[in-house]
Amino acid sequence: MSNEVVVSIRNLTKRFGKTVVFEDVSLDVHRSEVVAIVGPSGAGKSTLIRCVNRLHPFDEGSLQVLNHQLNKGSQFPSKQVLNDIRTRVGMVFQTFNLFPHLSVLENVILAPIEVKKVPRKQAIQQAMELLDMVGLSEHANKYPKRMSGGQQQRVAIARALAMEPEIMLFDEPTSMLDPELVGEVLDAIQRLAKDGMTLMLVTHEMQFAKEVADTVVIMADHRIIEKGPSREVLENPRTGRAQAFLKRVLNPVHATELEREVAVGHGGGR
Amino acid sequence: MHIVGLYISPIAIGALKDLILTILSTLLSFVLGILFAAGRLYGHPVIKLVIGWYVEIIRGLPAILQLFIIFFGLTQIGINLSPLTAGLIWLVAYGTGYAVEIFRSGIMDVAQGQREAASALGLGRWITMRKVIVPQAFALMLPALTSFVVLQLKNTTLLYLIGYADIMYQARLGADATEAPGTLYLMAAAAYLIMSLVIGRIGYRLEKRATAYR
Ligand SMILES: Nc1ncnc2c1ncn2[C@@H]1O[C@H](COP(=O)(O)OP(=O)(O)OP(=O)(O)O)[C@@H](O)[C@H]1O
Ligand SMILES: [Mg+2]
């Protein structure tokens, strides 16, 4: 992790109509830092990382991504700025979102050819290297729907990497997968982390977050309730709300009672 | 039996004319339909409104009335169209009204996640449309498009009402001139049926190919 801040989120507020998704969220992400974002469903984790590559606009605060200042409101940034952000920030979705009518290889080469104007031959060569890296080079000519979820998600990772991004956003990349397929995807992500990629990762895999992330952010009740070095946050959370959440994910059956008490004690749940 | 022999070639020629009109009007309706659908989805609010009205008018008015307005109605303001021209204009106008809605719903039915994935990769709107949305929408739409072509084929029967010499016209002529209207209308029916079946078959083949990835 370097000192260079590549994503700077300051007092960010996001609403859908009247509903507040999150309020007053601040977070700095440094180059090569791995940030895991955890928290209960509906906390706004997905929405937050989707603001970073401007899939969503935001309502208040400021957001700086790779030296581009994004303005609040629904007005899109200029074409060049948007394009620069979208090419330098990659994203992997919970539901893979591969293009089903294109083969694995075509999925990976589409954006480099169309956006970066990479010659086809070179794009294919680069794609094959990436597919090799995620262990799928022999599946290059298959259609996505013919593959397992874990394989599809690894293709999605290769597709995003083909744009040579500096930052990768992951939105619960393993939560749609059968348990036995989770490992192969986490391995691929861990490799990226080792290679110095900047990662913002929404996940429910606490063990993975603890081992791979530098920083863990816990979101709940429309805000960040705790953030810090991953071990510290996950092993010794300071706030009661964070303790209750972690207890619940680590020990799902017994903790709901405690969480309810704590939430009430803090002046209301959701 | 000699009636069949006598009328088979006029009916076959009529069928060919109907088929050509169907193909031509279908192609033009598809082109306009795609443009209008894009306009209705992404255009200026005024464009959206105008296309919306257009669709309502085409779908709301009886087909024959539309045809008569174009062929007979327009003569009042000095526009005299031949039956062929009037027929083609109507088939395209009518077909476009329906095609817009087929294309629009096809485009909308492509999952939102596909657009987001394209955006996240930096693909522009036009490329996304061409490489991601339309190919998938096309596969979704093929059954509706096949029915559309058959509908257009059946619509050509109406053109005999403005004097266009198609199958229906020939069958009617024969029915009046001979004692065998049943035979003649059956011949016309056979011609339409064969063409519908062929169109359906082609549509099915295309659909199979377009959805091979599923
Ligand atoms: N497009 C939208 N329109 C309206 N409300 C939305 C939209 N997207 C999300 N929301 C709402 O915003 C809130 C936060 O959603 P978000 O998906 O960011 O939560 P999350 O923390 O990612 O949850 P999960 O763990 O379930 O994915 C939810 O209450 C959701 O209903
Ligand atoms: Mg989410």
Side-chain angles (χ1 to χ4, degrees):
Chain A
M1 172 171 33
S2 78
N3 286 328
E4 183 195 353
V5 174
V6 285
V7 177
S8 175
I9 300 168
R10 288 266 163 272
N11 311 105
L12 212 66
T13 294
K14 166 73 190 170
R15 305 182 201 98
F16 280 114
K18 287 221 160 99
T19 19
V20 175
V21 181
F22 53 74
E23 221 164 9
D24 203 22
V25 162
S26 296
L27 176 69
D28 276 346
V29 180
H30 303 83
R31 193 172 289 283
S32 295
E33 184 176 358
V34 177
V35 178
I37 301 168
V38 303
S41 182
K45 308 177 297 291
S46 302
T47 310
L48 178 66
I49 64 167
R50 283 155 164 269
C51 286
V52 173
N53 66 346
R54 193 50 178 77
L55 282 184
H56 287 320
F58 55 92
D59 299 284
E60 302 295 339
S62 81
L63 175 57
Q64 196 169 337
V65 181
L66 294 164
N67 303 320
H68 293 296
Q69 187 67 44
L70 291 176
N71 294 321
K72 65 185 183 186
S74 57
Q75 179 88 37
F76 272 102
S78 75
K79 223 175 187 158
Q80 291 96 309
V81 169
L82 190 64
N83 201 48
D84 193 55
I85 290 175
R86 296 268 173 85
T87 42
R88 292 165 70 189
V89 180
M91 183 160 200
V92 171
F93 300 85
Q94 187 172 9
T95 46
F96 327 137
N97 299 1
L98 293 175
F99 305 130
H101 61 297
L102 300 179
S103 73
V104 164
L105 181 65
E106 288 166 328
N107 264 276
V108 180
I109 63 176
L110 178 66
I113 290 176
E114 298 293 345
V115 182
K116 284 190 152 181
K117 310 293 175 203
V118 177
R120 193 180 165 85
K121 245 195 174 141
Q122 192 186 325
I124 290 176
Q125 191 191 335
Q126 188 204 10
M128 291 309 294
E129 282 166 19
L130 287 167
L131 288 173
D132 198 38
M133 191 192 92
V134 294
L136 292 172
S137 47
E138 71 274 33
H139 298 277
N141 294 316
K142 278 194 184 165
Y143 282 117
K145 294 268 162 78
R146 306 266 186 278
M147 309 174 83
S148 74
Q151 290 173 326
Q152 288 187 55
Q153 194 61 298
R154 284 183 283 150
V155 174
I157 293 172
R159 179 177 71 173
L161 291 176
M163 293 298 280
E164 302 180 310
E166 295 163 47
I167 301 171
M168 284 280 282
L169 310 173
F170 285 88
D171 190 359
E172 297 193 31
T174 58
S175 58
M176 298 288 279
L177 301 180
D178 293 337
E180 73 270 20
L181 302 177
V182 169
E184 63 192 51
V185 172
L186 292 183
D187 284 347
I189 298 172
Q190 184 160 21
R191 178 122 26 99
L192 288 181
K194 275 204 187 111
D195 290 347
M197 178 69 81
T198 309
L199 300 180
M200 290 180 78
L201 165 76
V202 177
T203 185
H204 290 302
E205 301 288 334
M206 295 302 156
Q207 196 53 40
F208 184 76
K210 196 189 287 184
E211 283 166 18
V212 177
D214 302 299
T215 305
V216 165
V217 172
I218 305 181
M219 284 182 84
D221 307 334
H222 317 299
R223 58 204 170 86
I224 290 181
I225 56 169
E226 194 142 336
K227 69 179 169 196
S230 53
R231 253 168 219 290
E232 235 167 79
V233 170
L234 292 177
E235 280 169 7
N236 296 306
R238 284 182 306 249
T239 61
R241 183 73 179 88
Q243 283 162 13
F245 165 72
L246 289 173
K247 194 147 203 174
R248 183 161 59 98
V249 267
L250 299 174
N251 188 4
V253 186
H254 304 291
T256 30
E257 213 37 46
L258 174 63
E259 180 176 33
R260 202 168 301 135
E261 274 163 31
V262 172
V264 169
H266 273 70
R270 277 165 294 134
Chain B
M1 208 57 223
H2 80 284
I3 292 175
V4 174
L6 202 61
Y7 281 94
I8 194 141
S9 78
I11 285 192
I13 291 170
L16 196 64
K17 286 163 105 176
D18 278 348
L19 192 63
I20 291 170
L21 262 186
T22 301
I23 293 170
L24 200 59
S25 69
T26 296
L27 291 177
L28 290 169
S29 304
F30 282 4
V31 171
L32 290 173
I34 290 174
L35 291 176
F36 282 22
R40 195 168 186 188
L41 284 169
Y42 309 113
H44 187 274
V46 174
I47 292 175
K48 287 184 184 173
L49 202 68
V50 170
I51 296 172
W53 282 342
Y54 179 78
V55 170
E56 290 307 319
I57 290 169
I58 292 291
R59 303 223 288 191
L61 290 179
I64 297 183
L65 185 55
Q66 297 173 23
L67 180 61
F68 280 16
I69 288 174
I70 293 171
F71 185 67
F72 299 114
L74 290 182
T75 56
Q76 205 180 325
I77 54 167
I79 301 176
N80 294 292
L81 300 168
S82 71
L84 175 62
T85 315
L88 187 60
I89 289 175
W90 171 66
L91 283 171
V92 172
Y94 183 86
T96 301
Y98 280 83
V100 174
E101 289 306 281
I102 297 176
F103 286 110
R104 189 176 72 107
S105 64
I107 289 170
M108 286 194 328
D109 283 350
V110 175
Q112 180 61 18
Q114 293 288 304
R115 272 167 249 268
E116 290 180 343
S119 296
L121 286 166
L123 295 169
R125 194 183 240 189
W126 170 240
I127 298 286
T128 302
M129 210 53 190
R130 226 182 65 210
K131 299 274 180 169
V132 178
I133 307 294
V134 170
Q136 292 182 66
F138 187 66
L140 293 171
M141 290 178 316
L142 264 171
L145 291 178
T146 306
S147 322
F148 174 93
V149 181
V150 173
L151 177 76
Q152 282 294 70
L153 177 69
K154 290 195 286 190
N155 279 335
T156 59
T157 53
L158 291 180
L159 301 189
Y160 107 95
L161 292 170
I162 58 168
Y164 182 68
D166 75 335
I167 306 183
M168 209 42 211
Y169 183 93
Q170 301 295 356
R172 180 75 204 270
L173 224 62
D176 288 351
T178 66
E179 301 285 276
T183 310
L184 277 148
Y185 288 131
L186 271 180
M187 285 169 73
Y192 278 118
L193 199 60
I194 291 169
M195 290 191 286
S196 300
L197 288 175
V198 170
I199 293 167
R201 191 70 210 161
I202 294 171
Y204 176 75
R205 284 277 179 81
L206 285 176
E207 196 187 328
K208 277 222 126 166
R209 199 177 319 158
T211 57
Y213 63 78
R214 280 190 203 145

